[in-house]
Amino acid sequence: MDIYLVDGTYELFRHFYAVPSARDADGREVGAVKGVITSILGLINNSGVRYVGVATDHVIESFRNEMWPGYKTGAGIDPALFSQFGLLEDALTALGVAVWPMIEFEADDALASAAAIAAADSRVDRVVICTPDKDLGQCVRGERVVQLNRRTRVIFDEAGIIAKFGVAPDSIPDYLALVGDSSDGYPGLRGWGPKSAAAVLARFRHLESIPDDPRIWGVNANNAGALALTLARDRHQAFLFRDLATLRTGIPLFTSIDALEWTGPTDAFPPLAARLDAAVQDRDSWLGTRGSGRR
């Protein structure tokens, strides 16, 4: 069997900026939730998916905000989008889909934990993590745990991660530590770019294995001397950034993959679906007034 794990926060952002505004009878914005629920139902009905779980950020802030002051927060999120976070969780629960709202941790941590639990079950043929987020690349294992960008329909197995980033999945946190991740709010190390990080990590894999002396790196990296000086000076910060990028896999979300089996919507779903279906679209929202969003 295949297990599908969906990044609900990403899906909510994606649909908010891709579909027209729609308000229910009480004037509350519901368009993005309607889009996500329609998408999840499409995944189930059109792809035959029967084992699915959705991770969401119940709040944007997490334990990582205490580790790094510049880490992403909920500041600047459109109120019309933010107001739909709780509604999405309610709608998924009513649909009968397993949903994991994160408060202390992030949705990405939940996806990583769920992937680890599912992959440990011998009944599982493949775990499909549905998100384009770079940090989830660290969870990919061979062809058994893969990453799917549902928008582009591109699947990345381990060979695909290596082709995309130039490093193996277990080096993704080290890679992000060097190059940074602007979407999460940490900068990486000055001067280190994707090419230099990939070249060095492809040989040494992890930060602590990179020699201080660039003359023994044996890789094609521009300004290797300057890069080595930066790493020697800021290695402690690189370790911090790697910790930020490392997803937690020990969250006890479920004890058996049987908990992810979709058996149909609950009795709460029909009235909620009627509310979403009756929402009135704002045709002017197609004019692009929302911008592109943070995700």
Side-chain angles (χ1 to χ4, degrees):
M1 68 180 70
D2 286 353
I3 307 293
Y4 277 72
L5 306 174
V6 181
D7 183 345
T9 303
Y10 166 76
E11 292 290 339
L12 192 66
F13 272 77
R14 179 166 77 92
H15 283 86
F16 182 77
Y17 291 103
V19 302
S21 168
R23 297 184 179 276
D24 65 11
D26 295 323
R28 290 175 292 190
E29 180 64 46
V30 299
V33 170
K34 181 177 180 179
V36 176
I37 295 301
T38 300
S39 177
I40 296 296
L41 278 171
L43 179 68
I44 292 170
N45 294 327
N46 299 333
S47 303
V49 174
R50 283 298 175 269
Y51 290 82
V52 58
V54 181
T56 63
D57 291 295
H58 189 70
V59 295
I60 297 298
E61 290 78 11
S62 70
F63 73 94
R64 291 181 176 88
N65 292 92
E66 299 178 3
M67 298 169 60
W68 178 249
Y71 201 74
K72 66 182 178 183
T73 69
I77 296 180
D78 192 315
L81 168 59
F82 197 70
S83 67
Q84 296 182 71
F85 277 37
L87 177 60
L88 175 61
E89 294 161 3
D90 292 342
L92 289 166
T93 300
L95 181 58
V97 171
V99 57
W100 308 300
M102 292 292 103
I103 297 177
E104 177 185 356
F105 297 96
E106 297 180 51
D108 287 353
D109 296 306
L111 293 172
S113 294
I117 297 170
D121 193 311
S122 61
R123 295 175 292 170
V124 174
D125 297 312
R126 188 175 64 159
V127 179
V128 182
I129 305 173
C130 303
T131 179
D133 284 2
K134 297 187 290 293
D135 52 2
L136 265 300
Q138 66 192 268
C139 300
V140 172
R141 297 291 182 269
E143 297 180 350
R144 190 157 183 267
V145 181
V146 300
Q147 186 174 2
L148 168 65
N149 184 329
R150 294 187 64 215
R151 184 178 62 82
T152 62
R153 300 181 181 180
V154 174
I155 291 178
F156 293 94
D157 57 12
E158 189 160 345
I161 293 295
I162 293 172
K164 181 178 181 180
F165 295 103
V167 299
D170 66 347
S171 294
I172 290 294
D174 303 84
Y175 173 88
L176 293 174
L178 293 175
V179 305
D181 189 339
S182 59
S183 64
D184 282 342
Y186 57 92
L189 299 193
R190 184 178 182 86
W192 283 85
K195 290 184 178 179
S196 56
V200 175
L201 290 171
R203 178 173 181 187
F204 298 106
R205 298 189 67 173
H206 300 299
L207 296 174
E208 56 267 39
S209 300
I210 302 174
D212 290 332
D213 187 350
R215 292 173 296 182
I216 59 176
W217 286 1
V219 300
N220 184 18
N222 291 332
N223 300 316
L227 295 177
L229 286 174
T230 299
L231 181 58
R233 183 187 68 229
D234 299 330
R235 197 181 290 260
H236 66 288
Q237 193 167 65
F239 288 149
L240 170 60
F241 293 155
R242 183 175 65 180
D243 199 12
L244 292 174
T246 300
L247 299 178
R248 276 44 178 178
T249 58
I251 307 172
L253 302 173
F254 54 92
T255 57
S256 170
I257 58 170
D258 296 330
L260 306 187
E261 183 177 9
W262 186 76
T263 58
T266 71
D267 292 341
F269 187 67
L272 192 148
R275 171 188 169 189
L276 297 179
D277 285 341
V280 178
Q281 289 186 346
D282 177 4
R283 300 295 177 181
D284 291 338
S285 67
W286 282 113
L287 298 178
T289 56
R290 284 174 167 170
S292 59
R294 291 187 61 188
R295 294 174 70 101

